[in-house]
Amino acid sequence: LSDGELLLVSNFRVKNAPNYDNPEDYLPQVGSAGNMQSLPANNILLPEVDSSELARYTVVTTLDGNSLALQDSYAFFAYSENVYVSKDNLFATRTTSQDEEVNGFILREAVTEIACVSYQNEALTYQGSASVKGRVQNQYSMDEYDGTLRVFTTFESTTLEEKKNGEHSSLLWRGFYSSASLYCISLDSFETVASVERFAPDGETVRSARFDKQKAYVCTAIEFTDPVFSFDLSNLDNITYTDTGEIKGYSFALTKFWGGTLLGIGYNSQRSLKIELYEETADSVVSVATYEPTTYVSVSEEYKAHFIDAEDGYMGFYDGNAREYVLLKYDGYSLREVFREPFFSYVGKTRACMVDGWAYLLGTCGLKAVQVY
């Protein structure tokens, strides 16, 4: 909801063996119940796709926030991966691959196309698209700031060898390489204006990212060993970064927290919960506090499933294994448990908020209030 306008994003999948006499079988429909209309061709972005692409759309619709009257609609064909929404624009991604022959081998690299539509003045207007090398993990890996889209990707390259047997040929796997890259794209030209490619150690992939104006943070990992990188994006002609060095485990979510720290939610080397706070120094990123339960904890990897109050230093999560909601507080020295409250719900379907010293837990089986102070 932005300035009285409701932005709705949905997926539409084409039916198997569609009846092409019925447009609703293969085209997105918008309108009121009983009066649905197919999106016109001018409102559908149709990239070049091959036969292996899934027939699906990401559909964007703007509605009046009060009456829910339809204002405009736009659809991206074959875009059903990640969607990031900024103050003025919506970005949708689709990942394909491109092949290059090098020294008799085929190098197959992942490439992500990012398309942009503005949603200002009740209209959805296609702005353009850009391509970056690699795969975008989620919406938190993208951020618009001061006319520039910043994107973290996992660079992926597979080495293949073509073997021919008479009239037939096959591709044999010969190797795989991955790392992490950062791209900065001008939203005027949709050209890459700055980049830091393959900055992570060989074999690492992006696990989480967070942008904060002219700063950016990203956690990469191989299995359960990770560094957390801090990027200074104040000068795109001279992007600099520091990192924590090797830390056991990795974070699947990063966010700014109390006292200028960075909160990482993830796993330790035993794949049990690890919540860690980082602090940036002049030349590195260091760990200042860690919470690791001694027993196995089952948590959701969805960022919004966790309660985070950065202003007062509270962080909460639902432990599906113990069926308890746990509230932590950072006191400037350590992350300590405020309470462990029995609560029956499901991982990923539990939420919490805090009002006037009371924590309210909302789950699949009801609501519970717990006094904190």
Side-chain angles (χ1 to χ4, degrees):
L1 187 66
S2 176
D3 296 328
E5 184 177 58
L6 183 64
L7 187 67
L8 176 67
V9 182
S10 59
N11 285 327
F12 173 78
R13 188 179 294 270
V14 176
K15 289 184 178 181
N16 291 328
N19 179 356
Y20 289 103
D21 291 330
N22 297 326
E24 61 270 20
D25 282 6
Y26 59 91
L27 287 175
Q29 308 281 304
V30 296
S32 57
N35 188 29
M36 303 288 281
Q37 302 294 324
S38 300
L39 263 68
N42 289 339
N43 286 38
I44 299 177
L45 177 63
L46 186 66
E48 294 183 5
V49 295
D50 58 38
S51 59
S52 66
E53 291 285 354
L54 292 176
R56 59 190 182 186
Y57 299 80
T58 294
V59 185
V60 185
T61 305
T62 52
L63 307 169
D64 183 276
N66 294 315
S67 67
L68 298 185
L70 177 67
Q71 294 175 340
D72 203 2
S73 294
Y74 199 89
F76 305 87
F77 182 73
Y79 287 77
S80 288
E81 293 174 346
N82 300 301
V83 173
Y84 159 65
V85 181
S86 69
K87 182 177 178 295
D88 301 312
N89 299 306
L90 179 144
F91 302 87
T93 70
R94 65 181 288 266
T95 302
T96 57
S97 62
Q98 64 180 20
D99 292 350
E100 180 183 3
E101 187 173 340
V102 178
N103 298 326
F105 293 92
I106 297 173
L107 293 183
R108 178 165 294 170
E109 296 180 352
V111 177
T112 297
E113 183 180 348
I114 307 172
C116 173
V117 165
S118 71
Y119 62 94
Q120 298 303 299
N121 303 319
E122 302 182 359
L124 291 164
T125 307
Y126 176 66
Q127 300 295 307
S129 63
S131 293
V132 294
K133 287 189 176 182
R135 190 179 303 275
V136 179
Q137 185 195 29
N138 54 34
Q139 69 266 36
Y140 302 111
S141 295
M142 297 180 280
D143 179 77
E144 179 186 344
Y145 181 78
D146 198 21
T148 303
L149 177 68
R150 293 90 61 88
V151 185
F152 282 113
T153 70
T154 294
F155 176 85
E156 297 179 351
S157 177
T158 303
T159 301
L160 303 169
E161 182 180 6
E162 185 176 16
K163 287 293 186 181
K164 293 186 177 180
N165 183 12
E167 297 180 355
H168 303 285
S169 64
S170 59
L171 293 177
L172 303 180
W173 184 89
R174 293 304 186 208
F176 179 78
Y177 169 83
S178 66
S179 185
S181 298
L182 169 69
Y183 295 94
C184 300
I185 300 164
S186 167
L187 295 181
D188 290 327
S189 64
F190 285 88
E191 297 291 332
T192 297
V193 294
S195 64
V196 182
E197 294 187 301
R198 308 182 197 181
F199 60 82
D202 293 358
E204 303 233 328
T205 61
V206 172
R207 297 304 178 99
S208 57
R210 178 66 64 177
F211 290 88
D212 182 28
K213 298 180 181 178
Q214 295 181 337
K215 301 288 294 185
Y217 305 91
V218 61
C219 172
T220 65
I222 302 177
E223 293 296 327
F224 297 104
T225 303
D226 80 294
V228 175
F229 295 86
S230 171
F231 281 78
D232 183 349
L233 303 178
S234 58
N235 181 2
L236 296 186
D237 293 326
N238 183 31
I239 297 175
T240 60
Y241 63 90
T242 58
D243 68 82
T244 57
E246 184 177 301
I247 291 180
K248 295 298 182 182
Y250 67 86
S251 299
F252 54 73
L254 291 172
T255 187
K256 295 292 288 183
F257 201 59
W258 185 88
T261 58
L262 180 71
L263 174 69
I265 308 171
Y267 302 115
N268 59 25
S269 56
Q270 284 74 46
R271 197 176 171 80
S272 190
L273 177 68
K274 182 186 74 167
I275 298 174
E276 193 157 18
L277 289 178
Y278 305 97
E279 195 172 71
E280 190 171 359
T281 66
D283 55 3
S284 66
V285 180
V286 297
S287 173
V288 294
T290 303
Y291 171 82
E292 292 185 84
T294 56
T295 58
Y296 174 74
V297 174
S298 172
V299 295
S300 171
E301 292 193 11
E302 183 183 351
Y303 170 71
K304 291 185 177 181
H306 307 293
F307 169 67
I308 297 173
D309 179 357
E311 184 176 345
D312 294 319
Y314 287 100
M315 186 272 166
F317 62 90
Y318 180 65
D319 180 354
N321 187 54
R323 293 183 177 176
E324 294 177 327
Y325 197 89
V326 182
L327 183 68
L328 307 177
K329 181 172 174 57
Y330 180 55
D331 57 12
Y333 300 97
S334 62
L335 279 164
R336 61 177 179 83
E337 286 189 5
V338 178
F339 67 68
R340 275 185 166 271
E341 186 67 24
F343 191 63
F344 186 83
S345 186
Y346 289 94
V347 171
K349 296 184 178 181
T350 307
R351 299 292 186 268
C353 68
M354 191 140 60
V355 181
D356 295 334
W358 286 81
Y360 294 90
L361 315 179
L362 179 64
T364 52
C365 294
L367 177 69
K368 190 174 188 177
V370 183
Q371 189 169 14
V372 179
Y373 58 84

